[in-house]
């Protein structure tokens, strides 16, 4: 599928979205002091920028006065000013600072007027935005921690990858955790092939979050020796240490993978962020200290990683064409069991009640 395909032309059916959590809006390097930019998260138009003191901010791209996008106006490094009537807002909290049309006779308290502003923090090269549930107001209370990639040494290299997908977040996530597509979607001399398929056995355990109302519940593929049919893992054998991999999935959309080989390590955080109810975006942030001194290692890793993500993107573009007819689908055991767990966890969070789909350790088997 060529680059000329517009994702909006092939988007599949929509799905329910999970609010009350952090999502990566865009790379923090795109936010320059005194400049504004826009994006869409969970169907909400979002205005982002960086103040003169370096702080990043995120606002709903909407003036509360007459509804014109604030991005049509101006930002001087301190306040955002609406183009329509000149209302001025402090962007981190959204409080109105000035209404130029008011006279000295007016009694309106400008400070009681707010544009919608969202918590926004920088982590791992992203501007993360917290999108509260509808009706929660400005006071979001105690927020969960901003997601961050685990790192195991002070010196490491890192890389970012991104891909837009024309499917809803559910299909993006279950595609992300699907263990059986690798030999078919990701065929390559440097990864694996159909001929490399063999039976695997993996152990899973629940990740509970009782202190946070199940907001960050998920499950873990317990520490195990990585697949011997993947060339990148074979390269780690040069260190002569046992290799283990742990993979976590955490609501609403995060997959953490950690590979340890003695003092050497590789970790990645992959998120699938809803742009609208029917489209999403994959972001990958990876860090490592393996082959730290090898020249151009970051460029090489980024090149092959981008090809890997592109293979997933092309497959989901093709899948989305079929999903437009809203066909009946199926999930099988055991390879699709993690997808079933995801849907159960999501429904429990949407309803605010329900048990974790794993009541203890589980062993799954499949061929890939």
């Amino acid at each position: 599928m060529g680059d000329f395909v517009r994702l909006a032309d092939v988007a599949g059916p929509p799905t329910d979205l999970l609010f009350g959590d952090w999502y990566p809006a865009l790379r923090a390097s795109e936010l320059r002091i005194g400049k504004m930019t826009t994006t869409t998260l969970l169907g909400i138009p979002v205005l982002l920028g960086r103040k003169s003191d370096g702080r990043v901010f995120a606002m709903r791209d909407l003036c509360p006065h007459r509804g014109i996008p604030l991005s049509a106006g101006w930002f001087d490094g301190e306040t955002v000013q609406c183009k329509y009537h000149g209302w001025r807002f402090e962007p981190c909290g959204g409080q109105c600072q000035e209404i130029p049309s008011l006279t000295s006779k007016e009694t309106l308290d400008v400070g009681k007027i707010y544009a919608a502003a969202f918590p926004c923090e920088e982590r791992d090269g992203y501007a993360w935005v917290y999108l509260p549930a509808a009706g929660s107001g400005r006071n979001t209370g105690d927020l969960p921690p901003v997601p961050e990639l685990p790192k195991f040494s002070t010196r490491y290299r890192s890389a970012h990858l991104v891909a837009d997908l024309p499917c809803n977040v559910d299909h993006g996530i279950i595609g992300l955790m699907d263990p059986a597509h690798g030999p078919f979607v990701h065929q390559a001399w440097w990864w694996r092939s159909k001929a490399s398929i063999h039976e695997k056995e993996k152990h899973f355990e629940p990740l509970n979050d009782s202190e946070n109302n199940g907001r960050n519940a998920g499950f873990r593929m317990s520490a195990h020796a990585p697949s011997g049919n993947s060339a990148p893992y074979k390269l780690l054998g040069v260190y002569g240490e046992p290799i283990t991999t742990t993979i976590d999935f955490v609501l609403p959309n995060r997959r953490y993978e950690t590979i340890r080989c003695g003092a050497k390590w590789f970790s990645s955080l992959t998120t699938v962020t809803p742009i609208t109810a029917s489209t999403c975006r994959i972001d990958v942030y990876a860090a490592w200290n393996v082959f730290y001194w090898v020249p151009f290692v970051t460029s090489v890793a980024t090149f092959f990683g981008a090809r890997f993500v592109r293979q997933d993107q092309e497959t989901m573009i093709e899948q989305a064409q079929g999903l437009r007819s809203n066909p009946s689908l199926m999930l099988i055991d055991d390879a699709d069991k993690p997808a079933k767990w995801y849907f159960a966890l999501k429904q429990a969070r949407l309803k605010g009640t329900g048990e974790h789909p794993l009541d203890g350790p589980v062993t799954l088997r499949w061929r890939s």
Side-chain angles (χ1 to χ4, degrees):
M1 191 66 61
D3 291 336
F4 65 90
V5 175
R6 293 198 315 141
L7 301 188
D9 291 340
V10 294
T15 189
D16 293 324
L17 304 177
L18 292 177
F19 288 83
D21 223 314
W22 294 95
Y23 290 93
L26 43 68
R27 292 284 301 280
S29 60
E30 297 180 40
L31 301 179
R32 307 296 176 86
I33 289 178
K35 303 294 183 181
M36 299 185 293
T37 188
T38 60
T39 190
T40 303
L41 290 175
L42 283 69
I44 297 174
V46 179
L47 172 70
L48 297 106
R50 188 183 298 275
K51 294 186 66 175
S52 297
D53 61 5
R55 286 187 298 166
V56 294
F57 65 83
M59 307 176 72
R60 185 186 292 269
D61 192 13
L62 180 78
C63 181
H65 180 212
R66 295 286 184 86
I68 190 172
L70 288 169
S71 58
W74 306 276
F75 174 49
D76 62 4
E78 296 297 330
T79 59
V80 172
Q81 187 173 30
C82 178
K83 178 182 180 180
Y84 200 174
H85 297 92
W87 289 29
R88 195 182 297 272
F89 302 92
E90 192 287 312
C92 290
Q95 186 179 44
C96 187
Q97 306 289 297
E98 178 190 10
I99 298 180
S101 63
L102 293 180
T103 69
S104 60
K105 304 296 184 181
E106 299 282 356
T107 60
L108 178 65
D109 186 349
V110 172
K112 291 185 178 180
I113 298 174
Y114 285 82
F118 307 120
C120 185
E121 300 285 346
E122 287 188 68
R123 290 290 189 283
D124 292 332
Y126 292 105
W128 289 81
V129 175
Y130 181 87
L131 293 177
S136 60
R138 294 194 313 275
N139 183 12
T140 54
D142 293 330
L143 301 182
V146 181
E148 188 169 3
L149 179 67
K151 308 168 192 74
F152 306 97
S153 63
T154 56
R155 304 187 71 175
Y156 56 86
R157 300 184 184 275
S158 62
H160 296 82
L161 297 169
V162 63
D164 293 313
L165 301 179
C167 59
N168 67 47
V169 67
D170 290 342
H171 285 291
I173 286 176
I174 66 174
L176 177 70
M177 63 178 60
D178 175 13
H181 76 281
F184 302 94
V185 173
H186 300 298
Q187 292 184 46
W189 65 265
W190 48 273
W191 190 252
R192 63 181 63 173
S193 66
K194 290 181 183 179
S196 69
I197 295 177
H198 63 273
E199 186 167 323
K200 298 177 181 178
E201 177 180 288
K202 306 296 183 184
H203 306 287
F204 292 81
E205 56 191 278
L207 296 175
N208 289 301
D209 188 21
S210 57
E211 295 181 358
N212 205 18
N213 296 321
R215 176 159 30 196
N216 293 322
F219 48 87
R220 168 173 295 166
M221 183 187 294
S222 306
H224 60 280
S227 300
N229 58 343
S230 296
Y233 295 134
K234 294 178 181 178
L235 288 174
L236 294 175
V238 302
Y239 289 110
E241 298 276 355
I243 306 169
T244 60
T245 299
T246 302
I247 299 175
D248 291 352
F249 174 79
V250 180
L251 279 181
N253 65 338
R254 302 167 203 145
R255 178 189 186 274
Y256 297 87
E257 180 169 4
T258 301
I259 303 172
R260 304 298 300 269
C261 180
K264 301 298 182 180
W265 58 272
F266 171 94
S267 61
S268 65
L269 169 56
T270 304
T271 54
V272 184
T273 297
I275 305 304
T276 67
S278 57
T279 61
C280 62
R281 185 189 71 240
I282 289 181
D283 288 287
V284 182
Y285 174 61
W288 64 89
N289 73 345
V290 295
F291 307 114
Y292 185 86
W293 299 109
V294 176
F296 310 113
V297 65
T298 301
S299 298
V300 172
T302 302
F303 172 79
F304 286 110
R307 288 190 60 187
F308 190 90
V309 172
R310 178 60 179 166
Q311 288 169 336
D312 280 321
Q313 183 188 41
E314 289 174 343
T315 300
M316 291 186 178
I317 288 173
E318 294 163 342
Q319 181 193 31
Q321 293 174 335
L323 293 175
R324 293 180 68 182
S325 61
N326 203 21
S328 297
L329 305 176
M330 65 178 68
L331 296 174
I332 64 172
D333 291 337
D334 277 359
D336 290 338
K337 183 72 78 171
K340 294 182 179 181
W341 295 338
Y342 160 70
F343 283 117
L345 288 167
K346 179 180 179 179
Q347 285 304 307
R349 177 153 161 191
L350 285 168
K351 295 177 181 178
T353 183
E355 299 294 326
H356 197 293
L358 282 78
D359 56 9
V362 174
T363 299
L364 301 181
R365 299 172 180 85
W366 61 80
R367 297 183 73 247
S368 69

